C-alpha cells in the first residue's frame, strides 16, 4: 500500500486550522506552545492513520508477539522523530519556515519524557524503534512515572535536583486504554484449598492497585507498522469511599488512595546500583504483573486456552532483572487462573522468557530480602520457594555435594531472593550486551550456570537507532551522506559502508568538516541560551557525556585536564590545539562521591576558564541536565568521544556508538563495546589506552600501586596535591579530601584507587597529547572521522534486533 504524505500546503492548512479550532487564534498571536500543539496534532493524525491501517494485522496473521519488559524506556521527544519516521521531515520543515517559524524552537516546547536513567532505558527505546522499522510485532511495557529522572541544576558548582513534572500539561502522544486496565494484588495471605484430591491456592485479603495503560505509538520508518509502548499507571481501585468519609475516616481513605498511586509516582534515580527499597519492589511487581496478565489475556483472545502453543506465540523479554517477577507471575496465572499443573507451567515459562544482563558489578545485582517478598507478594513467594526447591534438587544431580556452589546459584539463599539466578534458571536465554561482557558473564559472574547449560548463553552487542541518532540528530551529515551515496542507507543501515571511499575525496572531506563546524555552532547556541556559555567553533570538541559513576572515571578526565593545565602554566608557549572539554553527567542524588566529582569538575572549570594563559587554549564546560535532547546536540558536535571506564566494568556503553556514528573519534579503554569499535575501525582510527580487564582483575589481587605512583611520578603528585592545597576552591581547601583519600588510601578498608585512575592517568594524558597532534592534520583527522561513520553501521540497533530475533525471539515480519 502506498503511503501518502501531507504536502507543504496541507501541513500549513492543518496547523492553522488546529490553532483556530483549539485556541481560536491565528499564527500571529499563537504562543509557541500552542503552535507545538497544533503541529504535534497534525503529526499525530498521520501516525494514527497508519496505526489504524496496521490495526489487527498481527492477530489476523497469527504472528508471534514480543513483550519487551523494562522498568525504563528513555524514549526522548517524539515530534521530530515521528516526522522522520513519516519520511516527511522536509515538508514539515518547509511548512514551518513558510509560516515564519523556527522548527527547532517549536520542537523544544515538547516536554522530554525522562522515563529512564541512562543506557538501559535508552537501549529499550532504540529497540522498540528498530522492532517497528523491521516490521516485528512487539509491545514495550514500562511504568508511566509521573516524575521521570530529576532535572539537574548546577548551583555554586553543586548538583541540585529538581522534580521532572513532565506530565504537567498532559502528553500529546499517549492514548489511555482504560478498557485494558489490570488489577495487581499486594499483601494478604494464601489459603490452601483441598478439593477432589487436588490442592490449589487462593490469595486472600490482599489490597488491589489498578494498572491503567497509556499507549504511546512507535512508528516504523517509512511504514505502517506501529508498535505500542505501554506505560502502566497506578490508580486506587475504589473511588474515594463516601461512606468512610462520613464515618470520619477521611484521612485514611485519602491515605489509601495515595498509597496505591505512589507506585508509579517517581523513577528511582540510581543507575547501576541496587537498593532494597520496598516501593521499588512494588513498582517492579506492578509492571510485571500488569504486563503478563495482559499478555496472557491477549493470547487467550486470539488462540483460546491452548497453552501448549503459548511460547510459539508469545515471547517475554526482561531487560535486566527489574521486571523479573514476571516469571513467577506467569507461573501463577497459568496455575491459579487457568488450572495448569506445575510441570506444564514451568515448561511454558522457560520457553517464553529471555533475559538480558546489563552489569557485572556486584552492587547492581538485585537481591531482595526474602521476608519483604514474602510479606508483599505471598503467592509469588510460594512459587519462588517451589522453583528454588526444584532448582536445588536438579543442581544436586549436576554438582553432587557442592552445597556452596548450589547456594550461590539458588533462587533463594542466605535470606535473599536472587533475581539474576531466577532469570537464568527460569528462562531459555541469557545474553550479555557486548563480547567482552558476555565473556565475563561466562567466565566469572554466571560461570556456574554456564557449566550447567552453555547453550543458554549468547552475546548480542548493543546498538543504537540510526534514525534518531544520525538522521534526526544530524541532518547536516545525513544530507551529506545522501549526496555521496544516495538515501537508501536510511532504510538499509548496512549501506553506510559505502561512505568509506569518500574519505579520499577532498571536497567531501571539506564538506564533512564544515558540517561538523555548523553542528558545533548549533551546540554553542543552545548552551548560550541554556546556561550562558559560548564555545569557539574552531576548537576541538572533546566530550564525555554519560551518568556520573566512579567506574566511568570522569575523575580521570578531570585530573587529566588539571595535568595539562599545569603543563601550560609551566610553559605558556606550549603549542597546543585549542580544545573544549565538555562534561554532561547526572549523579544519583544519594551518591556522595559522584556529586563531589561534579563539584570538582566545576572547580577545575573555574580555575582554567579564568586563567588568562590557559583559557586561550582550553575551556572546561559542565553542561547542565544531560538528557536525550541534549545528547542529540552534543554527539553531532563532538570531535573526540571519551570512553574511559575501568576495563571490565562497562557492560557495553551506547554513547560510544552515538559519538562514532556522528564522526567523533574514540579515546577509550578496552572495555565494553569499545573493544568492538576498535575491531571495526582498526587501531589507526581510535585511541586506546590503559589497563586491560585481565590486568585489572590481576591488580585486585595485588597491593595497590597508588602510593608508588604518587611517590615516583611528580606530575601525578602535583595534581593530587592540588586537590587538597587550596588550588581548587581556596575558600574550602578541604573540600576534595575524600577524593584524595580514596585515591591514595581507599575507603573502609578497601583498596586505594580501586578504579585505577592513578594507574591509567599517565597513559591517558599521553594519548591525549597524541590526539592534539593528530587533530591538527585536518585531512588525516577527517579521514578517521569518516571511517568511524562508515563503519558505525555495525552498531545500528536494526542489526542488534535482527540478532535477538534470530537467536531468541523468532518473530515473523508482519507485512501489510
Ligand atoms: C535496580 C534496583 C533498584 C533500583 C535501581 C536499579 C537499577 C536501575 C537502573 C539498576 C540498574 C540500572 C541501569 C543500568 C544501566 O543503564 N546499565 C547500562 O546498560 C547499557 C545498555 O546495555 C550498557 O550499555 C551500559 O554499559 C550499562 O551500564
Amino acid at each position: 500500500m502506498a503511503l501518502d504524505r501531507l504536502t507543504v500546503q496541507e501541513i500549513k492548512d492543518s496547523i492553522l486550522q488546529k490553532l483556530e479550532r483549539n485556541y481560536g487564534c491565528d499564527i500571529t498571536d499563537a504562543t509557541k506552545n500552542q503552535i507545538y500543539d497544533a503541529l504535534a496534532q497534525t503529526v499525530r493524525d498521520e501516525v494514527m492513520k497508519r496505526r489504524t491501517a496496521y490495526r489487527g494485522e498481527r492477530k489476523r496473521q497469527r504472528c508471534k508477539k514480543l513483550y519487551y519488559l523494562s522498568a525504563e524506556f528513555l524514549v526522548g521527544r517524539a515530534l521530530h522523530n515521528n516526522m522522520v519516521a513519516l519520511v516527511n521531515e522536509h515538508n514539515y520543515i518547509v511548512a514551518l519556515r513558510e509560516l515564519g517559524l523556527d522548527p527547532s524552537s517549536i520542537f523544544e516546547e515538547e516536554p522530554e519524557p525522562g522515563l529512564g536513567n541512562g543506557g538501559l532505558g535508552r537501549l529499550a527505546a532504540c529497540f522498540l524503534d528498530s522492532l517497528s522499522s523491521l516490521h516485528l510485532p512487539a509491545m514495550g511495557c514500562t511504568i508511566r512515572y509521573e516524575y521521570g529522572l530529576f532535572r539537574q541544576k548546577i548551583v555554586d558548582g553543586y548538583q541540585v535536583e529538581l522534580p521532572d513534572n513532565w506530565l504537567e500539561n498532559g502528553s500529546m502522544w499517549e492514548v489511555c486504554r482504560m478498557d485494558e486496565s489490570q488489577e495487581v494484588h499486594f499483601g494478604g495471605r494464601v489459603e490452601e484449598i483441598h478439593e477432589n484430591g487436588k490442592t490449589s491456592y487462593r490469595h486472600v485479603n490482599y489490597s488491589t492497585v489498578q494498572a491503567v495503560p497509556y499507549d504511546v505509538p512507535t512508528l516504523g520508518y517509512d511504514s505502517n507498522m506501529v508498535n505500542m509502548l505501554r506505560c502502566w499507571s497506578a490508580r486506587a481501585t475504589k473511588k474515594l469511599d463516601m461512606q468512610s468519609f462520613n464515618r470520619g475516616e477521611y484521612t485514611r481513605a485519602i491515605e489509601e488512595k495515595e498509597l496505591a498511586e505512589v507506585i508509579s509516582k517517581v523513577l528511582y534515580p540510581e543507575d547501576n546500583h541496587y537498593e532494597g527499597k520496598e516501593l521499588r519492589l512494588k513498582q517492579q511487581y506492578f509492571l510485571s504483573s500488569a504486563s503478563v496478565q495482559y499478555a496472557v489475556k491477549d493470547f487467550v483472545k486470539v488462540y483460546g486456552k491452548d497453552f501448549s502453543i503459548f511460547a510459539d506465540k508469545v515471547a517475554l523479554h526482561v531487560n535486566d532483572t527489574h521486571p523479573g517477577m514476571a516469571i513467577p507471575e506467569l507461573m501463577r496465572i497459568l496455575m491459579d487462573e487457568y488450572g495448569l499443573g506445575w510441570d506444564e507451567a514451568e515448561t511454558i515459562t522457560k520457553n517464553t522468557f529471555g533475559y538480558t544482563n546489563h552489569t557485572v558489578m556486584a552492587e547492581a545485582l538485585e537481591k531482595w530480602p526474602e521476608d519483604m517478598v514474602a510479606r508483599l507478594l505471598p503467592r509469588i513467594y510460594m512459587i519462588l520457594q517451589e522453583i528454588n526447591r526444584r532448582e536445588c534438587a536438579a543442581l544436586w544431580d549436576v554438582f553432587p555435594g557442592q552445597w556452596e556452589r548450589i547456594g550461590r546459584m539458588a533462587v533463594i539463599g542466605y535470606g535473599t531472593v536472587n533475581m539474576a539466578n531466577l532469570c537464568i534458571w527460569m528462562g531459555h536465554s541469557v545474553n550479555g550486551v557486548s563480547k567482552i561482557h558476555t565473556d565475563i558473564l561466562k567466565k566469572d559472574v554466571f560461570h556456574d550456570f554456564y557449566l550447567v547449560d552453555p547453550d543458554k548463553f549468547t552475546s548480542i552487542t548493543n546498538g543504537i537507532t540510526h534514525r534518531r541518532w544520525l538522521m534526526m540528530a544530524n541532518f547536516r551529515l545525513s544530507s551529506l551522506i545522501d549526496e555521496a551515496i544516495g538515501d537508501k542507507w536510511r532504510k538499509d543501515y548496512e549501506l553506510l559502508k559505502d561512505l568509506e571511499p569518500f574519505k579520499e575525496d577532498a571536497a567531501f572531506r571539506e564538506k564533512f568538516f564544515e558540517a561538523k563546524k555548523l553542528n558545533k555552532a548549533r551546540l554553542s547556541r543552545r548552551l548560550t541560551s541554556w546556561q550562558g556559555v559560548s564555545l569557539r567553533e574552531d576548537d576541538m570538541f572533546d566530550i564525555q557525556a554519560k551518568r556520573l559513576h566512579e567506574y566511568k572515571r570522569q575523575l580521570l578526565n578531570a585530573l587529566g585536564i588539571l595535568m595539562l593545565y599545569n603543563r601550560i602554566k609551566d610553559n605558556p608557549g606550549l603549542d597546543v590545539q585549542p580544545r573544549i572539554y565538555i562534561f554532561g553527567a547526572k549523579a544519583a542524588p544519594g551518591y556522595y562521591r559522584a556529586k563531589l566529582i561534579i563539584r570538582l569538575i566545576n572547580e577545575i572549570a573555574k580555575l582554567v576558564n579564568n586563567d588568562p594563559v590557559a583559557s586561550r587554549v582550553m575551556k572546561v564546560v559542565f553542561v547542565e541536565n544531560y538528557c536525550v535532547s541534549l545528547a542529540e546536540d552534543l554527539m553531532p558536535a563532538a570531535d573526540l568521544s571519551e570512553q574511559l571506564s575501568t576495563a571490565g566494568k562497562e557492560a557495553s556503553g551506547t554513547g560510544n556508538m552515538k559519538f562514532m556514528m556522528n564522526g567523533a573519534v574514540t579515546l577509550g579503554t578496552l572495555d565494553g563495546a569499545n573493544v568492538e569499535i576498535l575491531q571495526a575501525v582498526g587501531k589507526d582510527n581510535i585511541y586506546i589506552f590503559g589497563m586491560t580487564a585481565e590486568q585489572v582483575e590481576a591488580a585486585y589481587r595485588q597491593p595497590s600501586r597508588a602510593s608508588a605512583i604518587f611517590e615516583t611520578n611528580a606530575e601525578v603528585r602535583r595534581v593530587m596535591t592540588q586537590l587538597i592545597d587550596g588550588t581548587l576552591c581556596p575558600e574550602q581547601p578541604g573540600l576534595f579530601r575524600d577524593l584524595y583519600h580514596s585515591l591514595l588510601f581507599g575507603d573502609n578498608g578497601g583498596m586505594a584507587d580501586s578504579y585505577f585512575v592513578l594507574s591509567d592517568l599517565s597513559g591517558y594524558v599521553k594519548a591525549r597529547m597524541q590526539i592534539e597532534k593528530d587533530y591538527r592534520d585536518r585531512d588525516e583527522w577527517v579521514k578517521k572521522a569518516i571511517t568511524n561513520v562508515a563503519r558505525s553501521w555495525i552498531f545500528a540497533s536494526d542489526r542488534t534486533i535482527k540478532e535477538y530475533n534470530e537467536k531468541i525471539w523468532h518473530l515473523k515480519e508482519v507485512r501489510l
Side-chain angles (χ1 to χ4, degrees):
M1 184 162 66
L3 300 168
D4 43 325
R5 304 191 174 104
L6 293 184
T7 63
V8 172
Q9 192 57 48
E10 285 168 331
I11 292 169
K12 288 200 292 190
D13 291 346
S14 166
I15 292 175
L16 295 175
Q17 190 192 55
K18 288 184 196 295
L19 281 177
E20 185 182 296
R21 277 205 204 143
N22 298 344
Y23 299 108
C25 66
D26 64 24
I27 197 90
T28 49
D29 43 29
T31 65
K32 269 206 179 130
N33 198 264
Q34 289 169 334
I35 294 168
Y36 161 75
D37 246 43
L39 173 62
Q41 279 182 37
T42 305
V43 171
R44 192 182 59 185
D45 288 350
E46 288 299 278
V47 174
M48 286 308 177
K49 211 184 272 170
R50 289 169 198 236
R51 160 82 188 135
T52 314
Y54 171 69
R55 195 171 194 89
E57 206 48 49
R58 191 250 326 161
K59 286 186 179 141
R60 270 192 288 284
Q61 298 185 25
R62 298 171 79 83
C63 293
K64 186 174 185 178
K65 178 173 173 186
L66 163 71
Y67 294 86
Y68 192 85
L69 274 50
S70 178
E72 308 188 4
F73 259 91
L74 191 46
V75 291
R77 288 183 179 140
L79 175 57
H80 189 186
N81 194 245
N82 278 324
M83 291 177 181
V84 171
L86 289 165
V87 203
N88 210 11
E89 185 191 10
H90 178 78
N91 283 356
Y92 275 101
I93 301 286
V94 172
L96 289 170
R97 293 248 161 80
E98 288 184 6
L99 290 172
L101 301 165
D102 164 35
S104 56
S105 78
I106 306 294
F107 299 158
E108 277 162 28
E109 286 295 311
E110 180 175 353
E112 180 177 321
L115 306 187
N117 274 286
L120 169 142
R122 184 54 233 176
L123 187 77
C126 284
F127 279 11
L128 197 57
D129 180 277
S130 282
L131 283 158
S132 294
S133 288
L134 295 172
H135 300 93
L136 300 173
M139 176 178 262
C141 296
T142 191
I143 297 172
R144 183 176 178 263
Y145 302 103
E146 198 177 319
Y147 293 89
L149 187 64
F150 63 85
R151 282 187 303 123
Q152 179 194 53
K153 288 292 289 174
I154 301 296
V155 179
D156 298 333
Y158 282 112
Q159 165 175 300
V160 174
E161 301 93 25
L162 302 171
D164 164 50
N165 193 359
W166 71 287
L167 281 172
E168 196 167 38
N169 300 313
S171 164
M172 189 56 87
W173 306 101
E174 55 181 24
V175 179
C176 179
R177 293 298 305 268
M178 217 38 170
D179 55 310
E180 295 194 335
S181 297
Q182 310 293 328
E183 282 194 356
V184 180
H185 298 164
F186 293 98
R189 62 194 161 75
V190 179
E191 287 175 350
E192 216 175 279
I193 300 163
H194 300 276
E195 246 172 23
N196 316 325
K198 268 186 81 181
T199 309
S200 60
Y201 299 91
R202 194 166 61 201
H203 189 188
V204 296
N205 262 7
Y206 47 76
S207 45
T208 301
V209 177
Q210 200 186 2
V212 180
Y214 288 74
D215 287 353
V216 179
T218 307
L219 177 62
Y221 181 72
D222 195 14
S223 92
N224 270 330
M225 179 68 160
V226 178
N227 281 319
M228 287 298 176
L229 172 58
R230 175 152 282 194
C231 307
W232 296 102
S233 180
R235 291 233 188 125
T237 35
K238 287 174 271 177
K239 294 273 163 292
L240 274 185
D241 177 2
M242 279 308 162
Q243 293 298 317
S244 57
F245 267 40
N246 296 337
R247 287 198 305 273
E249 294 178 46
Y250 175 79
T251 42
R252 213 183 56 111
I254 300 266
E255 262 168 30
E256 263 174 27
K257 183 173 151 65
E258 293 291 305
L259 229 51
E261 297 186 354
V262 74
I263 290 180
S264 57
K265 191 64 76 180
V266 59
L267 168 73
Y268 276 89
E270 285 84 30
D271 153 297
N272 272 303
H273 188 82
Y274 158 78
E275 267 182 281
K277 295 263 169 54
E278 183 169 315
L279 182 57
R280 168 81 186 185
L281 178 58
K282 279 192 180 170
Q283 289 186 334
Q284 296 189 354
Y285 181 66
F286 171 78
L287 164 63
S288 305
S289 175
S291 306
V292 177
Q293 287 186 60
Y294 173 72
V296 173
K297 283 177 194 156
D298 190 62
F299 168 84
V300 170
K301 216 193 259 166
V302 185
Y303 305 100
K305 293 181 187 172
D306 180 8
F307 286 104
S308 68
I309 59 164
F310 188 80
D312 302 327
K313 297 299 178 185
V314 177
L316 285 157
H317 202 91
V318 293
N319 195 24
D320 217 300
T321 57
H322 315 155
M325 289 300 179
I327 292 169
E329 177 68 2
L330 179 60
M331 294 286 295
R332 182 191 70 76
I333 294 171
L334 293 177
M335 295 188 302
D336 296 1
E337 294 183 16
Y338 291 94
L340 271 62
W342 180 281
D343 291 327
E344 200 187 347
E346 182 180 314
T347 306
I348 293 168
T349 302
K350 282 187 167 164
N351 289 334
T352 304
F353 275 95
Y355 155 54
T356 301
N357 171 282
H358 296 266
T359 189
V360 300
M361 288 187 301
E363 68 266 31
L365 296 176
E366 292 193 291
K367 292 183 178 152
W368 293 103
E370 201 178 338
D371 54 343
M372 191 192 284
V373 177
R375 183 165 39 78
L376 216 56
L377 311 169
R379 178 62 184 133
I380 293 299
Y381 177 64
M382 281 181 74
I383 293 169
L384 290 170
Q385 280 181 311
E386 182 60 14
I387 291 173
N388 185 58
R389 196 186 63 74
R390 289 172 183 242
E391 181 204 10
C392 291
L395 289 176
W396 181 263
D397 292 339
V398 190
F399 303 119
Q402 299 184 38
W403 278 120
E404 210 183 281
R405 193 197 288 262
I406 294 172
R408 274 200 308 265
M409 300 172 75
V411 169
I412 303 179
Y414 308 103
T416 63
V417 175
N418 185 317
M419 294 300 289
N421 290 355
L422 171 67
C423 294
I424 300 171
W425 183 252
M426 288 298 287
H428 62 93
S429 164
V430 184
N431 75 284
V433 291
S434 72
K435 286 195 185 118
I436 184 177
H437 170 58
T438 310
D439 283 344
I440 295 172
L441 292 182
K442 290 181 188 174
K443 275 198 212 121
D444 184 12
V445 191
F446 300 142
H447 181 64
D448 298 319
F449 285 106
Y450 182 64
L451 292 178
V452 176
D453 190 355
D455 296 339
K456 226 184 228 187
F457 287 76
T458 55
S459 181
I460 307 182
T461 300
N462 281 167
I464 57 169
T465 167
H466 67 295
R467 288 166 289 274
R468 180 176 288 265
W469 295 108
L470 183 52
M471 288 158 57
M472 173 185 147
N474 200 342
F475 74 91
R476 290 193 180 88
L477 178 53
S478 299
S479 18
L480 256 189
I481 298 173
D482 289 346
E483 268 176 48
I485 63 171
D487 64 4
K488 293 215 168 57
W489 63 278
R490 291 174 180 255
K491 265 197 127 144
D492 185 356
Y493 61 96
E494 282 191 38
L495 295 174
L496 265 182
K497 278 182 199 160
D498 297 344
L499 192 65
E500 186 146 350
F502 286 85
K503 70 182 177 197
E504 303 304 337
D505 176 340
F508 183 81
R509 282 200 304 271
E510 201 45 46
K511 285 191 252 174
F512 187 98
F513 186 84
E514 270 313 303
K516 182 65 79 184
K517 199 163 154 182
L518 289 168
N519 290 337
K520 291 177 182 180
R522 177 178 78 172
L523 176 64
S524 177
R525 279 198 303 278
R526 172 149 180 189
L527 292 186
T528 306
S529 75
W530 181 238
Q531 60 188 76
V533 186
S534 69
L535 313 172
R536 296 168 296 223
E537 58 220 46
D538 288 320
D539 288 8
M540 175 176 186
F541 279 37
D542 176 328
I543 308 185
Q544 186 174 20
K546 50 181 80 252
R547 280 301 286 257
L548 214 141
H549 216 293
E550 283 166 278
Y551 85 80
K552 295 179 188 279
R553 296 202 296 188
Q554 282 91 353
L555 186 54
L556 178 60
N557 188 344
L559 297 183
I561 294 171
L562 199 51
M563 203 178 258
L564 183 66
Y565 167 84
N566 291 335
R567 287 186 189 177
I568 290 168
K569 290 297 281 181
D570 290 352
N571 185 356
L574 200 67
D575 182 29
V576 292
Q577 163 64 40
R579 185 155 165 169
I580 302 184
Y581 300 87
I582 299 174
F583 291 85
K586 287 179 181 173
Y591 191 170
Y592 170 77
R593 187 166 292 151
K595 292 175 115 174
L596 192 58
I597 293 171
I598 292 181
R599 179 73 216 258
L600 174 71
I601 293 166
N602 284 311
E603 234 20 79
I604 293 177
K606 218 194 287 173
L607 179 75
V608 170
N609 302 347
N610 293 330
D611 186 282
V613 178
S615 64
R616 273 189 273 142
V617 287
M618 43 193 314
K619 178 164 187 152
V620 180
V621 175
F622 190 98
V623 295
E624 275 176 343
N625 200 39
Y626 179 57
C627 57
V628 175
S629 63
L630 200 50
E632 288 160 7
D633 280 347
L634 283 171
M635 273 59 184
D639 293 306
L640 190 70
S641 154
E642 301 266 359
Q643 306 300 334
L644 314 178
S645 56
T646 308
K649 300 285 182 203
E650 188 72 274
S652 159
T654 45
N656 45 5
M657 301 167 184
K658 293 163 201 161
F659 280 109
M660 176 190 185
M661 198 174 265
N662 282 281
V665 179
T666 303
L667 166 56
T669 49
L670 280 177
D671 197 18
N674 298 352
V675 177
E676 287 154 80
I677 295 180
L678 166 64
Q679 252 172 28
V681 301
K683 64 178 180 15
D684 294 338
N685 298 300
I686 188 170
Y687 296 85
I688 297 291
F689 74 96
M691 293 165 74
T692 62
E694 288 76 22
Q695 289 167 339
V696 167
E697 206 36 60
Y700 283 130
R701 285 176 261 119
Q702 307 281 317
S704 170
R705 296 197 51 246
S707 53
I709 296 168
F710 182 86
E711 273 153 32
T712 55
N713 187 324
E715 259 192 311
V716 171
R717 192 160 59 243
R718 179 162 168 202
V719 167
M720 286 296 291
T721 308
Q722 287 170 322
L723 284 181
I724 52 163
D725 70 358
T727 304
L728 301 163
C729 197
E731 324 78 81
Q732 253 178 294
L735 188 58
F736 301 117
R737 274 215 115 75
D738 167 81
L739 298 176
Y740 180 85
H741 201 272
S742 82
L743 289 171
L744 274 185
F745 308 110
D747 28 50
N748 306 325
M751 81 187 292
D753 190 20
S754 52
Y755 293 97
F756 305 100
V757 171
L758 296 185
S759 303
D760 278 347
L761 186 52
S762 298
Y764 174 58
V765 171
K766 195 164 153 227
R768 273 194 158 170
M769 298 313 278
Q770 183 62 45
I771 290 165
E772 303 256 299
K773 238 175 82 211
D774 294 355
Y775 184 77
R776 296 184 136 189
D777 186 340
R778 188 203 282 189
D779 273 338
E780 285 309 308
W781 185 270
V782 176
K783 281 184 196 172
K784 289 186 210 295
I786 296 171
T787 308
N788 270 274
V789 178
R791 301 194 189 176
S792 70
W793 66 270
I794 301 162
F795 301 105
S797 48
D798 289 5
R799 186 270 310 148
T800 312
I801 288 298
K802 284 183 184 167
E803 282 187 41
Y804 272 88
N805 200 37
E806 276 156 25
K807 296 181 183 168
I808 304 174
W809 301 327
H810 312 298
L811 308 165
K812 297 233 159 42
E813 288 182 11
V814 183
R815 292 280 182 180
L816 287 188

